[in-house]
Amino acid sequence: MSLSNEKLKDLLWLVGLTNENELNCEQCLALVAEFAECELAGKSISDGLKAVEQHLSVCSECREEYEALQRVLDGIEGDTSKK
Ligand SMILES: [Zn+2]
């Protein structure tokens, strides 16, 4: 096996995301931009991002962050489509 400890940690983290384990706020905020972009683009979301969605449904702080981000992204989209 050539997996370094670091790689293994990454893997465990990703596996953790696909479980019902909840993300903490730090993990959620690290992925929330990606999640917002996927949502906006109508792309299907990965398991990792589903965990973000899950966290947003239970954490009002992160949801506020997400909603603020969504407004920014909406604004950008709106500008480019109008001009
Ligand atoms: Zn949170």
Side-chain angles (χ1 to χ4, degrees):
M1 291 296 277
S2 59
L3 277 179
S4 66
N5 265 350
E6 203 122 327
K7 272 243 167 70
L8 206 58
K9 250 197 246 164
D10 275 356
L11 278 176
L12 286 175
W13 189 73
L14 284 172
V15 168
L17 288 185
T18 63
N19 285 339
E20 283 185 306
N21 291 344
E22 284 170 26
L23 254 62
N24 62 33
C25 291
E26 202 182 324
Q27 289 169 322
C28 179
L29 291 176
L31 291 167
V32 76
E34 200 183 328
F35 177 72
E37 276 173 25
C38 277
E39 282 274 283
L40 201 70
K43 282 191 237 163
S44 61
I45 58 174
S46 66
D47 285 345
L49 295 182
K50 276 180 193 148
V52 174
E53 190 176 40
Q54 160 74 19
H55 182 90
L56 292 175
S57 70
V58 296
C59 177
S60 59
E61 270 180 57
C62 289
R63 199 163 53 233
E64 269 177 36
E65 196 69 31
Y66 167 64
E67 280 167 6
L69 201 63
Q70 232 181 0
R71 278 194 292 274
V72 172
L73 289 173
D74 265 351
I76 295 167
E77 288 278 301
D79 274 354
T80 52
S81 64
K82 266 174 213 159
K83 277 172 193 169

Coordinates of all heavy atoms in Angstrom, one line a residue:
M1 N 0.8 -1.2 0.0 CA 0.0 0.0 0.0 C 0.9 1.2 0.0 O 1.8 1.4 0.8 CB -0.9 0.0 1.3 CG -2.0 -1.0 1.3 SD -3.2 -0.8 -0.1 CE -4.3 0.4 0.7
S2 N 0.5 2.2 -0.9 CA 1.3 3.4 -0.9 C 0.6 4.6 -0.4 O 0.9 5.7 -0.7 CB 1.8 3.7 -2.4 OG 0.6 3.8 -3.2
L3 N -0.5 4.3 0.3 CA -1.3 5.4 0.8 C -0.5 6.1 2.0 O -0.2 5.4 3.0 CB -2.6 4.9 1.3 CG -3.7 4.8 0.3 CD1 -5.0 4.3 1.0 CD2 -4.0 6.1 -0.4
S4 N -0.3 7.4 1.9 CA 0.3 8.1 3.0 C -0.8 8.3 4.0 O -1.9 8.2 3.8 CB 0.9 9.4 2.5 OG -0.2 10.2 2.1
N5 N -0.3 8.7 5.2 CA -1.3 8.9 6.3 C -2.2 10.1 5.9 O -3.4 10.1 6.2 CB -0.5 9.3 7.6 CG -0.4 8.1 8.5 OD1 -1.0 7.1 8.2 ND2 0.4 8.3 9.5
E6 N -1.6 11.0 5.2 CA -2.4 12.2 4.8 C -3.5 11.8 3.8 O -4.6 12.2 4.0 CB -1.4 13.2 4.1 CG -2.0 14.6 4.2 CD -1.0 15.6 4.9 OE1 -0.3 15.1 5.8 OE2 -0.9 16.7 4.5
K7 N -3.1 11.0 2.8 CA -4.1 10.6 1.9 C -5.2 9.8 2.5 O -6.4 10.0 2.2 CB -3.4 9.6 0.8 CG -2.8 10.4 -0.3 CD -3.5 9.9 -1.6 CE -3.2 10.9 -2.8 NZ -1.8 10.7 -3.2
L8 N -4.8 9.0 3.5 CA -5.8 8.2 4.2 C -6.7 9.1 5.0 O -7.9 8.8 5.0 CB -5.0 7.3 5.2 CG -5.7 6.0 5.5 CD1 -6.0 5.1 4.3 CD2 -4.8 5.2 6.5
K9 N -6.2 10.1 5.5 CA -7.0 11.0 6.3 C -8.1 11.7 5.4 O -9.2 11.8 5.7 CB -6.2 12.1 6.9 CG -6.1 12.0 8.4 CD -5.6 13.3 9.0 CE -4.2 13.1 9.7 NZ -3.5 14.4 9.9
D10 N -7.6 12.1 4.2 CA -8.5 12.6 3.2 C -9.6 11.7 2.8 O -10.8 12.1 2.8 CB -7.7 13.0 1.9 CG -7.1 14.3 1.9 OD1 -7.3 15.0 3.0 OD2 -6.4 14.7 1.0
L11 N -9.2 10.4 2.6 CA -10.2 9.4 2.3 C -11.2 9.2 3.4 O -12.4 9.2 3.1 CB -9.5 8.1 2.0 CG -8.9 7.9 0.6 CD1 -8.2 6.6 0.5 CD2 -10.0 8.0 -0.5
L12 N -10.7 9.2 4.6 CA -11.6 9.0 5.7 C -12.6 10.1 5.8 O -13.7 10.0 6.1 CB -10.8 8.8 7.0 CG -10.1 7.5 7.1 CD1 -9.2 7.5 8.4 CD2 -11.1 6.3 7.2
W13 N -12.0 11.3 5.5 CA -12.9 12.5 5.6 C -14.0 12.4 4.6 O -15.1 12.7 4.9 CB -12.0 13.8 5.4 CG -12.7 15.0 5.6 CD1 -13.1 15.5 6.9 CD2 -13.2 16.0 4.7 NE1 -13.7 16.7 6.7 CE2 -13.8 17.0 5.4 CE3 -13.1 16.0 3.3 CZ2 -14.4 18.1 4.7 CZ3 -13.7 17.1 2.6 CH2 -14.3 18.2 3.4
L14 N -13.6 12.0 3.4 CA -14.6 11.9 2.3 C -15.6 10.9 2.6 O -16.8 11.0 2.4 CB -13.9 11.6 1.0 CG -13.2 12.8 0.3 CD1 -12.4 12.3 -0.9 CD2 -14.2 13.9 -0.1
V15 N -15.1 9.7 3.1 CA -16.1 8.7 3.5 C -17.0 9.2 4.5 O -18.2 8.9 4.5 CB -15.3 7.4 3.9 CG1 -16.2 6.4 4.6 CG2 -14.5 6.8 2.8
G16 N -16.5 9.9 5.5 CA -17.3 10.5 6.5 C -18.4 11.3 6.0 O -19.5 11.3 6.5
L17 N -18.1 12.0 4.9 CA -19.1 12.9 4.3 C -20.3 12.1 3.7 O -21.4 12.6 3.7 CB -18.5 13.7 3.2 CG -17.5 14.8 3.6 CD1 -17.1 15.6 2.4 CD2 -18.2 15.8 4.6
T18 N -20.0 10.9 3.2 CA -21.1 10.2 2.6 C -21.9 9.4 3.7 O -22.9 8.9 3.4 CB -20.5 9.2 1.6 OG1 -19.7 8.2 2.3 CG2 -19.7 9.9 0.5
N19 N -21.4 9.4 4.9 CA -22.2 8.8 5.9 C -23.2 9.8 6.4 O -23.3 10.9 5.9 CB -21.3 8.3 7.1 CG -20.5 7.1 6.8 OD1 -20.9 6.3 5.9 ND2 -19.4 6.9 7.4
E20 N -23.9 9.4 7.4 CA -24.9 10.3 8.0 C -24.2 11.3 9.0 O -24.9 12.2 9.5 CB -26.0 9.6 8.6 CG -27.0 9.0 7.6 CD -28.2 8.4 8.3 OE1 -27.9 7.5 9.1 OE2 -29.3 8.7 8.0
N21 N -22.9 11.1 9.1 CA -22.2 12.0 10.0 C -22.4 13.4 9.6 O -22.4 13.7 8.4 CB -20.7 11.7 9.9 CG -20.3 10.4 10.5 OD1 -21.1 9.8 11.3 ND2 -19.1 9.9 10.2
E22 N -22.6 14.3 10.5 CA -22.8 15.7 10.2 C -21.5 16.4 9.9 O -20.5 16.1 10.6 CB -23.6 16.4 11.3 CG -25.0 16.0 11.3 CD -25.7 16.5 12.5 OE1 -25.3 17.5 13.1 OE2 -26.7 15.9 12.9
L23 N -21.5 17.3 9.0 CA -20.4 18.2 8.8 C -20.3 19.1 9.9 O -21.3 19.5 10.5 CB -20.6 19.0 7.5 CG -19.9 18.6 6.2 CD1 -20.3 17.3 5.8 CD2 -20.3 19.6 5.1
N24 N -19.1 19.6 10.2 CA -19.1 20.7 11.1 C -19.1 22.0 10.2 O -19.0 21.9 9.0 CB -17.8 20.7 12.1 CG -16.5 20.7 11.3 OD1 -16.4 21.3 10.2 ND2 -15.5 20.0 11.8
C25 N -19.2 23.1 10.9 CA -19.4 24.4 10.1 C -18.2 24.7 9.2 O -18.4 25.1 8.1 CB -19.6 25.5 11.1 SG -21.2 25.4 11.9
E26 N -17.0 24.3 9.7 CA -15.8 24.6 8.9 C -15.8 23.8 7.6 O -15.6 24.3 6.5 CB -14.6 24.2 9.7 CG -13.3 24.8 9.3 CD -12.1 24.3 10.1 OE1 -12.3 24.1 11.4 OE2 -11.0 24.2 9.6
Q27 N -16.2 22.5 7.7 CA -16.3 21.7 6.5 C -17.4 22.2 5.6 O -17.2 22.1 4.4 CB -16.6 20.2 7.0 CG -15.4 19.6 7.6 CD -15.8 18.2 8.3 OE1 -16.9 18.1 8.8 NE2 -14.9 17.3 8.2
C28 N -18.5 22.6 6.2 CA -19.6 23.0 5.4 C -19.2 24.3 4.6 O -19.5 24.4 3.4 CB -20.8 23.3 6.3 SG -22.2 23.9 5.4
L29 N -18.6 25.2 5.3 CA -18.2 26.5 4.6 C -17.2 26.3 3.6 O -17.1 27.0 2.6 CB -17.8 27.5 5.7 CG -18.9 28.0 6.6 CD1 -18.3 29.0 7.7 CD2 -20.0 28.7 5.9
A30 N -16.4 25.3 3.7 CA -15.3 25.0 2.7 C -16.0 24.5 1.4 O -15.4 24.6 0.4 CB -14.4 23.9 3.3
L31 N -17.2 24.0 1.5 CA -17.8 23.4 0.4 C -19.1 24.2 -0.1 O -19.6 23.9 -1.2 CB -18.3 21.9 0.7 CG -17.2 20.9 0.9 CD1 -17.8 19.6 1.5 CD2 -16.6 20.6 -0.5
V32 N -19.4 25.2 0.7 CA -20.7 25.8 0.4 C -20.7 26.6 -0.9 O -21.8 26.6 -1.6 CB -21.2 26.7 1.6 CG1 -20.4 28.0 1.6 CG2 -22.7 27.0 1.5
A33 N -19.6 27.1 -1.3 CA -19.5 27.8 -2.6 C -19.8 26.9 -3.8 O -20.5 27.2 -4.7 CB -18.2 28.5 -2.7
E34 N -19.1 25.7 -3.7 CA -19.3 24.7 -4.7 C -20.8 24.3 -4.8 O -21.3 24.1 -5.8 CB -18.4 23.5 -4.3 CG -18.1 22.6 -5.5 CD -17.3 21.4 -5.1 OE1 -16.5 21.5 -4.2 OE2 -17.5 20.4 -5.7
F35 N -21.3 24.1 -3.6 CA -22.7 23.7 -3.5 C -23.7 24.7 -4.1 O -24.5 24.4 -4.9 CB -23.1 23.5 -2.0 CG -24.6 23.1 -1.8 CD1 -25.0 21.9 -2.2 CD2 -25.5 24.1 -1.3 CE1 -26.4 21.5 -2.0 CE2 -26.8 23.7 -1.1 CZ -27.2 22.5 -1.5
A36 N -23.4 26.0 -3.8 CA -24.2 27.1 -4.4 C -24.1 27.1 -5.9 O -25.1 27.3 -6.6 CB -23.8 28.4 -3.7
E37 N -22.9 26.9 -6.4 CA -22.7 27.0 -7.8 C -23.4 25.8 -8.5 O -24.0 26.0 -9.6 CB -21.2 26.9 -8.2 CG -20.6 28.3 -8.1 CD -19.1 28.2 -8.3 OE1 -18.6 27.3 -8.9 OE2 -18.4 29.1 -7.8
C38 N -23.4 24.7 -7.9 CA -24.0 23.5 -8.5 C -25.5 23.7 -8.5 O -26.2 23.4 -9.5 CB -23.7 22.2 -7.7 SG -22.2 21.5 -8.1
E39 N -26.1 24.2 -7.4 CA -27.5 24.5 -7.3 C -27.9 25.5 -8.4 O -28.9 25.2 -9.1 CB -27.8 25.1 -5.9 CG -27.8 24.1 -4.8 CD -29.2 23.5 -4.7 OE1 -30.1 24.2 -4.2 OE2 -29.4 22.4 -5.1
L40 N -27.1 26.5 -8.5 CA -27.5 27.6 -9.5 C -27.4 27.0 -10.9 O -28.2 27.4 -11.8 CB -26.5 28.7 -9.3 CG -27.0 30.1 -9.8 CD1 -28.1 30.6 -9.0 CD2 -25.8 31.1 -9.8
A41 N -26.4 26.2 -11.2 CA -26.2 25.7 -12.5 C -27.2 24.5 -12.8 O -27.3 24.0 -13.9 CB -24.8 25.2 -12.7
G42 N -27.9 24.1 -11.8 CA -28.8 23.0 -11.9 C -28.1 21.7 -12.1 O -28.7 20.7 -12.6
K43 N -26.9 21.6 -11.6 CA -26.1 20.4 -11.7 C -26.5 19.4 -10.6 O -27.0 19.9 -9.6 CB -24.6 20.6 -11.6 CG -24.0 21.2 -12.8 CD -22.5 21.2 -12.7 CE -21.9 22.6 -12.9 NZ -20.5 22.7 -12.3
S44 N -26.4 18.1 -10.9 CA -26.6 17.2 -9.8 C -25.5 17.3 -8.8 O -24.4 17.5 -9.1 CB -26.8 15.8 -10.3 OG -25.6 15.4 -10.9
I45 N -25.9 17.2 -7.5 CA -24.8 17.4 -6.5 C -24.3 16.0 -6.0 O -25.0 15.0 -6.0 CB -25.4 18.2 -5.3 CG1 -26.6 17.5 -4.6 CG2 -25.8 19.6 -5.7 CD1 -27.1 18.1 -3.4
S46 N -23.0 16.1 -5.7 CA -22.3 14.9 -5.3 C -22.7 14.5 -3.8 O -23.3 15.3 -3.1 CB -20.8 15.1 -5.3 OG -20.4 16.1 -4.4
D47 N -22.2 13.4 -3.4 CA -22.5 13.0 -2.0 C -22.0 13.9 -1.0 O -22.6 14.3 0.0 CB -22.0 11.6 -1.8 CG -22.8 10.5 -2.4 OD1 -23.9 10.8 -2.9 OD2 -22.3 9.4 -2.6
G48 N -20.8 14.4 -1.3 CA -20.2 15.4 -0.4 C -21.0 16.6 -0.3 O -21.2 17.2 0.8
L49 N -21.6 17.1 -1.4 CA -22.4 18.3 -1.4 C -23.8 18.0 -0.7 O -24.4 18.9 -0.2 CB -22.6 18.9 -2.8 CG -21.2 19.4 -3.4 CD1 -21.5 20.0 -4.8 CD2 -20.6 20.4 -2.5
K50 N -24.2 16.8 -0.8 CA -25.4 16.5 -0.1 C -25.3 16.7 1.4 O -26.2 17.0 2.1 CB -25.8 15.0 -0.4 CG -26.6 14.9 -1.7 CD -27.0 13.5 -2.0 CE -27.5 13.4 -3.4 NZ -27.2 12.1 -4.0
A51 N -24.1 16.4 1.9 CA -23.8 16.6 3.3 C -23.9 18.1 3.6 O -24.3 18.5 4.7 CB -22.4 16.0 3.6
V52 N -23.5 18.9 2.6 CA -23.6 20.3 2.8 C -25.1 20.7 3.0 O -25.5 21.5 3.9 CB -22.9 21.1 1.7 CG1 -23.2 22.6 1.8 CG2 -21.5 20.9 1.6
E53 N -25.8 20.2 2.0 CA -27.3 20.5 2.0 C -27.9 20.1 3.4 O -28.7 20.8 4.0 CB -27.9 19.7 0.9 CG -29.4 20.0 0.7 CD -29.9 19.3 -0.5 OE1 -29.6 18.1 -0.7 OE2 -30.7 19.9 -1.3
Q54 N -27.5 18.9 3.8 CA -27.9 18.4 5.1 C -27.6 19.3 6.3 O -28.4 19.7 7.1 CB -27.3 17.0 5.3 CG -27.3 16.5 6.7 CD -28.6 16.0 7.2 OE1 -29.5 15.8 6.4 NE2 -28.8 16.0 8.5
H55 N -26.3 19.8 6.2 CA -25.9 20.7 7.3 C -26.6 22.0 7.2 O -27.0 22.6 8.3 CB -24.3 21.0 7.2 CG -23.8 21.8 8.2 ND1 -23.3 21.3 9.4 CD2 -23.7 23.2 8.3 CE1 -22.9 22.3 10.2 NE2 -23.1 23.5 9.5
L56 N -26.9 22.5 6.0 CA -27.6 23.8 5.9 C -29.0 23.7 6.4 O -29.6 24.7 6.9 CB -27.6 24.2 4.4 CG -26.3 24.6 3.8 CD1 -26.5 24.8 2.3 CD2 -25.7 25.8 4.5
S57 N -29.6 22.5 6.4 CA -30.9 22.3 6.9 C -31.0 22.3 8.4 O -32.1 22.5 8.9 CB -31.5 21.0 6.3 OG -30.9 19.9 6.9
V58 N -29.9 22.2 9.0 CA -29.9 22.1 10.5 C -29.1 23.3 11.1 O -29.2 23.5 12.3 CB -29.3 20.8 11.1 CG1 -30.2 19.6 10.7 CG2 -27.9 20.6 10.6
C59 N -28.3 24.0 10.3 CA -27.4 25.1 10.9 C -27.8 26.4 10.3 O -27.6 26.7 9.1 CB -26.0 24.7 10.6 SG -24.9 26.0 11.2
S60 N -28.4 27.3 11.1 CA -28.9 28.6 10.6 C -27.7 29.5 10.2 O -27.8 30.3 9.3 CB -29.8 29.2 11.5 OG -29.2 29.4 12.8
E61 N -26.6 29.4 10.9 CA -25.4 30.2 10.6 C -24.9 29.9 9.2 O -24.7 30.9 8.5 CB -24.3 29.9 11.6 CG -24.4 30.8 12.8 CD -23.2 30.5 13.8 OE1 -22.1 30.6 13.4 OE2 -23.5 30.1 14.9
C62 N -24.7 28.7 8.9 CA -24.2 28.3 7.6 C -25.3 28.6 6.5 O -24.9 29.0 5.4 CB -23.8 26.9 7.6 SG -22.3 26.6 8.5
R63 N -26.5 28.5 6.9 CA -27.6 28.8 5.9 C -27.5 30.3 5.5 O -27.7 30.6 4.4 CB -28.9 28.4 6.4 CG -29.9 28.2 5.3 CD -31.2 27.4 5.7 NE -31.8 28.0 6.9 CZ -32.0 27.3 8.0 NH1 -31.8 26.0 8.1 NH2 -32.6 27.9 9.1
E64 N -27.3 31.1 6.5 CA -27.2 32.5 6.2 C -26.0 32.8 5.2 O -26.1 33.6 4.3 CB -27.0 33.3 7.5 CG -28.2 33.8 8.1 CD -28.0 34.5 9.4 OE1 -26.9 35.2 9.5 OE2 -28.8 34.3 10.4
E65 N -24.9 32.1 5.5 CA -23.8 32.2 4.6 C -24.1 31.8 3.2 O -23.8 32.4 2.2 CB -22.7 31.4 5.2 CG -21.3 31.7 4.7 CD -20.8 33.0 5.2 OE1 -21.1 33.4 6.3 OE2 -20.0 33.6 4.4
Y66 N -24.8 30.7 3.2 CA -25.2 30.1 1.9 C -26.1 31.1 1.1 O -26.0 31.3 -0.1 CB -25.9 28.8 2.1 CG -26.6 28.2 0.9 CD1 -25.9 27.9 -0.3 CD2 -28.0 28.0 0.9 CE1 -26.5 27.4 -1.4 CE2 -28.6 27.5 -0.2 CZ -27.9 27.2 -1.3 OH -28.6 26.7 -2.4
E67 N -27.1 31.6 1.8 CA -28.0 32.5 1.2 C -27.4 33.8 0.7 O -27.7 34.3 -0.4 CB -29.2 32.8 2.2 CG -30.2 31.7 2.2 CD -31.2 31.8 3.4 OE1 -31.1 32.8 4.1 OE2 -32.0 30.9 3.5
A68 N -26.4 34.3 1.5 CA -25.7 35.5 1.1 C -24.9 35.2 -0.2 O -24.9 36.0 -1.2 CB -24.7 35.9 2.2
L69 N -24.3 34.0 -0.2 CA -23.5 33.6 -1.4 C -24.4 33.4 -2.6 O -24.1 33.8 -3.7 CB -22.9 32.2 -1.1 CG -21.7 31.8 -1.9 CD1 -20.5 32.7 -1.7 CD2 -21.3 30.4 -1.4
Q70 N -25.6 32.9 -2.4 CA -26.6 32.7 -3.5 C -27.0 34.0 -4.1 O -27.1 34.1 -5.3 CB -27.8 32.0 -2.9 CG -28.2 30.8 -3.6 CD -29.5 30.2 -3.0 OE1 -30.0 30.7 -2.0 NE2 -29.9 29.1 -3.6
R71 N -27.2 35.0 -3.2 CA -27.5 36.3 -3.7 C -26.4 36.9 -4.6 O -26.7 37.5 -5.6 CB -27.8 37.3 -2.6 CG -29.2 37.1 -2.0 CD -29.6 38.3 -1.1 NE -28.9 38.3 0.1 CZ -29.2 37.6 1.2 NH1 -30.3 36.9 1.2 NH2 -28.5 37.7 2.3
V72 N -25.2 36.7 -4.2 CA -24.0 37.2 -4.9 C -24.0 36.5 -6.3 O -23.9 37.2 -7.3 CB -22.7 36.9 -4.2 CG1 -21.5 37.3 -5.1 CG2 -22.7 37.8 -2.9
L73 N -24.1 35.2 -6.3 CA -24.1 34.4 -7.5 C -25.2 34.8 -8.4 O -25.1 34.9 -9.6 CB -24.1 32.9 -7.2 CG -22.8 32.4 -6.6 CD1 -23.0 30.9 -6.2 CD2 -21.6 32.5 -7.6
D74 N -26.4 35.0 -7.8 CA -27.6 35.4 -8.6 C -27.3 36.7 -9.3 O -27.7 36.9 -10.4 CB -28.8 35.5 -7.7 CG -29.6 34.3 -7.7 OD1 -29.4 33.4 -8.5 OD2 -30.5 34.2 -6.8
G75 N -26.7 37.6 -8.5 CA -26.4 38.9 -9.0 C -25.5 38.9 -10.2 O -25.7 39.5 -11.3
I76 N -24.5 38.0 -10.1 CA -23.5 37.9 -11.2 C -24.2 37.3 -12.5 O -24.1 37.8 -13.6 CB -22.4 36.9 -10.8 CG1 -21.5 37.5 -9.7 CG2 -21.5 36.6 -12.0 CD1 -20.6 36.6 -9.0
E77 N -25.0 36.3 -12.2 CA -25.8 35.6 -13.3 C -26.7 36.7 -14.0 O -26.8 36.8 -15.2 CB -26.6 34.5 -12.8 CG -25.8 33.3 -12.4 CD -25.5 32.4 -13.6 OE1 -26.4 31.9 -14.3 OE2 -24.3 32.2 -13.9
G78 N -27.5 37.4 -13.1 CA -28.4 38.4 -13.6 C -27.7 39.4 -14.5 O -28.2 39.7 -15.6
D79 N -26.6 39.9 -14.0 CA -25.9 40.9 -14.8 C -25.5 40.4 -16.2 O -25.7 41.1 -17.1 CB -24.6 41.3 -14.0 CG -24.9 42.4 -13.0 OD1 -26.0 42.9 -12.9 OD2 -24.0 42.7 -12.2
T80 N -24.9 39.3 -16.2 CA -24.4 38.8 -17.5 C -25.6 38.5 -18.5 O -25.4 38.7 -19.7 CB -23.6 37.5 -17.4 OG1 -24.3 36.6 -16.6 CG2 -22.2 37.8 -16.7
S81 N -26.7 38.1 -17.9 CA -27.8 37.7 -18.9 C -28.6 39.0 -19.3 O -29.2 39.0 -20.4 CB -28.8 36.7 -18.2 OG -29.4 37.3 -17.1
K82 N -28.5 40.0 -18.5 CA -29.2 41.3 -18.9 C -28.4 42.0 -19.9 O -28.9 42.7 -20.8 CB -29.4 42.1 -17.7 CG -30.8 41.9 -17.1 CD -31.0 42.6 -15.8 CE -31.8 41.9 -14.8 NZ -31.6 42.4 -13.4
K83 N -27.1 42.0 -19.8 CA -26.3 42.8 -20.7 C -25.9 42.2 -22.0 O -26.2 41.0 -22.2 CB -25.0 43.2 -20.0 CG -25.2 44.4 -19.0 CD -24.0 44.7 -18.2 CE -24.4 45.6 -17.0 NZ -23.4 45.7 -16.1
Ligands
ZN1 ZN -22.8 25.3 10.3

